[in-house]
Amino acid sequence: MSSTSSRSLLSGNEAIARGAYEAGVTFAAGYPGTPSTEILEAVAERYADSIYAEWSPNEKVGFEVAAGAAFAGARVVTTMKHVGLNVAADPLMTLSYIGVVGGFVAVVADDPGMHSSQNEQDTRHYARFAKIPVLEPSDSEEAKEYVKFAFEVSEKYNTPVILRSTTRVSHSRGLVSEEPRLETGRPIHFEKNPPRFVPIPAWARPMRVKVEERLKQLRQDACKFPVNKIIWGDKSLGIITSGIAYQYAREVFPDASFLKLGMPFPFPDDLIKEFASQVKRLVIIEELEDFLEEHIRSLGIDCVGKSVIPGIGELSPDVLMKRKALIEGSSTEIAEKPTNTKEPLPTLPARPPVLCPGCPHRGVFYALGRLDVVVNGDIGCYSLGVLPPLSRIDTILCMGGGVSLAHGMDKALSFNRHTSDKQQKVVGIVGDSTFFHSGITGLLDIVYNKGTSTIIVVDNRITAMTGHQDNPGSGKTLLGEETFAASIEEIGKACGVPNVRTINPRDVKTAVAILKEATESPEPWLIVAKSPCPLHLRAASGQPLSVDETVCKKCNACLKLGCPAIEKSGDNISINKLLCAACGMCRAICPAKAIG
């Protein structure tokens, strides 16, 4: 640490942004996705004078624009969560062949335990697949320093580099040394050289050879990299670990010897062999997959890993403490309880996830509940439409999948339908940001292949689920600048959708009528349910509503909205004025007109 540095308490994501600043990054792009979102937000908020930053329509675009900037010599960072790397995998694989000019770091945040994700993935496998290095910090200070080291590796070895974070590293805080920014002095200019940048087969074949040569050199050099280090302790137990798992293991086994792999791939074989040869019992502690264990076993080294360490869900000190005797080899049973003596915290009442009071999506799902249709959902706040009492989502796959699933299901049902069968009606639902992310191509597919699905875009004018980030339809950039606001309706017309309608989802009666017309039509429809997110507006639509108990018939119709502001005590219905957003949907569906 420099004598001129100061220290600040930063989250892992803020530290990654700080590392990008100190490393001399001038270009950053990505797509919001928990737990990675705050990285670009911190860049835009704190370092906009030095780093240009933008939200891209999806991770593939973010990866590609960052690659273009790196080809011109800029140091660049692109950010995404683990499922976003699936979207960006196509350019990742080829950029590994082409290499970079300016340093290129892809920050990918995994989500063990699926706190806000539809699956668990281990991004280290992508690094091995693409044959590029992956770095894995274990705290905020390392997150900042590893970003800087990643750029050194990227430019020295002409390779993109992945920095793998996880939810705990991204969102926990630690003291971070803040040091001066590095100015690379490299001119930003693209030097034309087609054999270097154009991977047609004749030129890609020698690129492939260079990838293997680079990987071999990195494997040798990784044994000397400062991020990979042996910490000697009691040699009766040796632990190989990386990332946040190191912090947990160090807490539970403070006296053990450790091989801490800040760069778990390429595998530093000689360092692994050196460490393994000097410990009595070797244990591999890693979060999610047996990535290290599988390779270490392939070296002919006896070790213990996933037979005692769970491969599903998030690790923690408590998880390791329960398995302490198993890991040490002194028992074959998992302890019933952690061995610490802390009093357990009182159990809090369960709070199921629910759409917010006044959420306009609620009107769409209530309207769909009046129709006999199959609803293909998508990734966003509106995923909560699957839960009671709305219960109006039947499938979810991935971002943009709501559109494509609807078309595939519609085609399969119509193609295999017997003449006497009634055709099931199919609806697809996506959010506005998801539509721009990967819904447009599915919509185009419906029209091109003569589908009849009804597609609903629930347009709340913002990327709500990840914290109200702007998108191509919001009219503002990440930097807060006014810009062109893309029209979902006009895009639908450009795709050839013959029926495009805009509705206010809070007008439940009209929403039901238009959805009924659309789903009974033999043509495809695009319905844009447009109403702003009340949390983003930070204002109610009017005065809180109330129930006139003298008029209320206690029919419970209003409860079918699933609004958390509507409460029932015994037979009585009331509206919590502290929660009510005055959206009026409950008033619209009350048959007794008791709400006003």
Side-chain angles (χ1 to χ4, degrees):
M1 180 168 49
S2 168
S3 60
T4 61
S5 67
S6 60
R7 303 184 80 190
S8 298
L9 189 66
L10 301 179
S11 70
N13 282 345
E14 292 167 338
I16 290 168
R18 179 70 195 183
Y21 168 76
E22 292 183 9
V25 167
T26 58
F27 185 98
Y31 185 81
T34 307
S36 71
T37 305
E38 298 84 3
I39 300 170
L40 278 196
E41 290 181 332
V43 168
E45 179 182 345
R46 303 179 185 193
Y47 312 115
D49 290 343
S50 303
I51 304 174
Y52 169 78
E54 68 177 38
W55 289 128
S56 301
N58 64 30
E59 297 84 359
K60 180 176 184 289
V61 173
F63 196 101
E64 291 163 347
V65 296
F71 288 166
R75 279 192 165 186
V76 305
V77 64
T78 183
T79 66
M80 63 203 73
K81 67 185 293 180
H82 61 290
V83 288
L85 188 55
N86 299 334
V87 182
D90 189 8
L92 166 67
M93 296 302 165
T94 303
L95 186 62
S96 174
Y97 278 39
I98 296 172
V100 297
V101 179
F104 182 105
V105 176
V107 181
V108 184
D110 286 3
D111 188 19
M114 296 181 281
H115 298 282
S116 57
S117 306
Q118 64 268 39
N119 66 30
E120 285 184 326
Q121 289 177 205
D122 192 327
T123 289
R124 295 176 299 174
H125 288 296
Y126 265 114
R128 178 164 57 180
F129 192 14
K131 301 180 183 293
I132 64 172
V134 59
L135 290 161
E136 194 171 7
S138 64
D139 58 28
S140 295
E141 174 69 19
E142 285 188 354
K144 188 208 77 165
E145 291 299 322
Y146 280 20
V147 170
K148 296 160 70 174
F149 182 67
F151 281 104
E152 295 177 18
V153 171
S154 178
E155 292 178 354
K156 180 178 179 179
Y157 296 92
N158 186 33
T159 180
V161 176
I162 292 174
L163 186 136
R164 181 204 189 204
S165 182
T166 59
T167 302
R168 293 301 160 194
V169 173
S170 286
H171 291 164
S172 61
R173 292 184 175 273
L175 285 173
V176 176
S177 59
E178 296 189 346
E179 298 175 296
R181 175 175 168 85
L182 170 70
E183 299 295 346
T184 65
R186 183 191 300 113
I188 305 302
H189 176 74
F190 179 67
E191 295 290 340
K192 293 185 177 182
N193 183 359
R196 163 80 166 80
F197 293 104
V198 182
I200 59 174
W203 292 333
R205 293 186 188 105
M207 291 179 186
R208 174 75 173 86
V209 175
K210 289 182 179 179
V211 166
E212 293 300 329
E213 293 172 347
R214 178 185 71 202
L215 196 60
K216 180 179 179 182
Q217 188 63 53
L218 272 165
R219 187 176 288 114
Q220 294 172 358
D221 295 349
C223 295
K224 303 186 288 288
F225 286 160
V227 296
N228 293 328
K229 57 185 178 183
I230 294 175
I231 304 164
W232 289 118
D234 184 349
K235 294 186 178 181
S236 64
L237 177 63
I239 296 173
I240 299 179
T241 185
S242 64
I244 193 66
Y246 166 76
Q247 301 287 5
Y248 301 151
R250 195 68 193 266
E251 181 175 335
V252 176
F253 303 98
D255 299 323
S257 292
F258 285 87
L259 171 53
K260 181 180 183 297
L261 297 179
M263 183 187 283
F265 185 84
F267 303 110
D269 288 353
D270 291 343
L271 193 62
I272 292 170
K273 292 174 182 177
E274 175 190 348
F275 181 76
S277 68
Q278 297 188 52
V279 298
K280 183 176 180 181
R281 178 177 174 84
L282 182 64
V283 180
I284 317 302
I285 297 180
E286 52 189 328
E287 203 164 42
L288 296 183
E289 304 290 337
D290 56 346
F291 183 80
L292 295 171
E293 180 188 357
E294 180 185 72
H295 178 74
I296 291 167
R297 288 185 181 279
S298 75
L299 297 175
I301 297 172
D302 185 33
C303 62
V304 176
K306 290 304 172 187
S307 61
V308 297
I309 306 296
I312 298 173
E314 190 175 26
L315 289 184
S316 69
D318 280 352
V319 169
L320 295 184
M321 189 66 76
K322 289 179 182 179
R323 293 164 171 77
K324 190 172 189 291
L326 263 178
I327 293 168
E328 293 173 332
S330 59
S331 174
T332 58
E333 296 183 359
I334 297 175
E336 287 296 320
K337 296 180 180 179
T339 57
N340 62 44
T341 57
K342 293 180 181 178
E343 289 293 325
L345 293 173
T347 302
L348 296 174
R351 184 185 182 276
V354 64
L355 292 170
C356 302
C359 177
H361 303 337
R362 184 174 282 108
V364 172
F365 287 120
Y366 182 85
L368 286 170
R370 313 278 73 78
L371 306 172
D372 181 17
V373 293
V374 179
V375 182
N376 294 280
D378 218 293
I379 308 300
C381 298
Y382 44 92
S383 299
L384 297 173
V386 71
L387 300 175
L390 295 170
S391 304
R392 286 311 287 130
I393 287 182
D394 300 301
T395 73
I396 290 179
L397 181 62
C398 61
M399 291 194 74
V403 180
S404 304
L405 284 172
H407 176 61
M409 187 178 291
D410 174 57
K411 281 292 184 181
L413 290 169
S414 62
F415 186 78
N416 294 284
R417 181 173 66 92
H418 297 293
T419 305
S420 59
D421 291 344
K422 181 181 178 181
Q423 172 71 45
Q424 277 185 294
K425 301 298 183 181
V426 182
V427 171
I429 188 166
V430 297
D432 49 324
S433 184
T434 309
F435 178 79
F436 294 121
H437 179 282
S438 48
I440 298 172
T441 47
L443 188 65
L444 185 62
D445 185 42
I446 289 174
V447 178
Y448 173 64
N449 285 298
K450 300 182 179 181
T452 63
S453 303
T454 297
I455 302 302
I456 305 169
V457 179
V458 284
D459 181 7
N460 58 13
R461 316 306 299 147
I462 204 72
T463 311
M465 190 176 196
T466 51
H468 304 127
Q469 291 77 30
D470 288 294
N471 62 55
S474 66
K476 283 191 177 180
T477 68
L478 171 59
L479 301 178
E481 299 169 344
E482 298 290 331
T483 187
F484 172 77
S487 166
I488 296 171
E489 292 90 339
E490 293 301 317
I491 290 172
K493 293 174 183 177
C495 288
V497 181
N499 306 288
V500 178
R501 295 287 291 274
T502 302
I503 64 171
N504 179 354
R506 291 185 168 126
D507 181 356
V508 180
K509 184 177 180 181
T510 302
V512 172
I514 291 178
L515 282 170
K516 188 174 187 297
E517 181 184 359
T519 55
E520 291 178 354
S521 169
E523 296 181 320
W525 278 63
L526 173 64
I527 297 173
V528 182
K530 185 175 294 185
S531 185
C533 169
L535 286 188
H536 183 58
L537 288 180
R538 296 182 180 273
S541 301
Q543 294 298 316
L545 303 179
S546 61
V547 178
D548 186 340
E549 294 184 7
T550 64
V551 178
C552 178
K553 295 182 177 179
K554 299 179 175 53
C555 65
N556 296 332
C558 57
L559 295 177
K560 294 178 181 178
L561 280 171
C563 178
I566 303 174
E567 300 174 346
K568 183 176 182 179
S569 178
D571 290 333
N572 296 323
I573 303 293
S574 63
I575 295 177
N576 188 323
K577 293 185 177 182
L578 295 177
L579 295 178
C580 180
C583 66
M585 282 186 273
C586 58
R587 181 167 54 191
I589 69 169
C590 177
K593 307 300 180 186
I595 299 175

